[in-house]
Amino acid sequence: MIEVKLDLYELMITSQNGLMRVYESMRLGHDWGHGFKGSLNEKIAKSISGSQAELSVAKYLQIEHTYHVNHGNNADLIFHDTHLQIRSQLPKKNNSLIIRPQGSKPGEIYILVIDKAPIFEIHGFVNSTYVLGSEKYLTDFNIANRPKCHAIPINLLTPIDLLKNGAWN
């Protein structure tokens, strides 16, 4: 696990980006988050966390971070022509890397970041091809009306430094 600390400016600009994501989705009438029924404040918090997690990974990999809004399921970041999807979560008892079959593409790298702002823990990654089209780690977390997703345990993730230093793939 790698820790990345964002400074106050980075926290501010990613917060603004997270806000813009929510309000632009509302303005355009886009549905939000695979049936997610949370409040506006929950959507804002999750969007800010996601933007901050993306910047944390970009900072660690020493690549450009673009402050994108409404780009659908396109890659969050690109590292040496590899498409990266960043998944952020607040700390909980059993964090896992979530990959949703609908909208996910084979061959993309999914990275789990735990948000302990201003510290962000990069726990590792998995290639989506490993689980997509299979029953591996498929769950709905016993939540009615939520589509099933793959929830890969943290201990099965590949360390992010293997991606950074080119030892993976």
Side-chain angles (χ1 to χ4, degrees):
M1 185 260 302
I2 300 292
E3 289 187 350
V4 175
K5 184 176 183 178
L6 297 184
D7 64 33
L8 291 177
Y9 177 78
E10 292 166 331
L11 291 168
M12 180 193 68
I13 197 74
T14 51
S15 294
Q16 290 175 339
N17 189 59
L19 282 169
M20 181 65 93
R21 289 176 178 182
V22 172
Y23 292 128
E24 276 296 290
S25 292
M26 290 171 62
R27 182 182 71 81
L28 296 170
H30 292 169
D31 287 333
W32 204 89
H34 302 279
F36 181 75
K37 302 292 185 213
S39 70
L40 177 60
N41 282 339
E42 288 174 296
K43 291 176 182 179
I44 290 169
K46 288 181 181 295
S47 291
I48 289 171
S49 177
S51 184
Q52 292 172 342
E54 291 165 16
L55 178 58
S56 298
V57 172
K59 194 171 176 177
Y60 173 69
L61 294 176
Q62 299 175 318
I63 59 175
E64 180 181 348
H65 176 260
T66 58
Y67 296 91
H68 58 267
V69 176
N70 292 337
H71 74 136
N73 62 354
N74 293 325
D76 295 321
L77 299 169
I78 298 176
F79 179 69
H80 299 302
D81 295 323
T82 301
H83 288 206
L84 309 180
Q85 298 287 356
I86 314 306
R87 296 294 179 258
S88 68
Q89 297 174 10
L90 294 175
K92 53 188 174 187
K93 185 177 179 182
N94 291 309
N95 288 94
S96 58
L97 175 59
I98 303 299
I99 300 178
R100 298 197 179 281
Q102 183 179 3
S104 298
K105 300 170 191 164
E108 290 190 318
I109 301 300
Y110 280 73
I111 300 171
L112 176 62
V113 178
I114 304 299
D115 175 350
K116 296 181 178 179
I119 304 294
F120 293 82
E121 298 175 348
I122 306 172
H123 280 269
F125 70 93
V126 69
N127 186 319
S128 61
T129 303
Y130 175 65
V131 295
L132 290 177
S134 77
E135 298 290 317
K136 292 178 187 171
Y137 314 108
L138 204 55
T139 181
D140 62 6
F141 297 105
N142 296 315
I143 300 173
N145 301 320
R146 287 282 280 182
K148 288 191 175 188
C149 65
H150 301 279
I152 300 102
I154 287 178
N155 66 323
L156 297 180
L157 301 179
T158 304
I160 192 71
D161 57 317
L162 295 180
L163 180 67
K164 183 178 182 179
N165 69 23
W168 176 85
N169 207 6

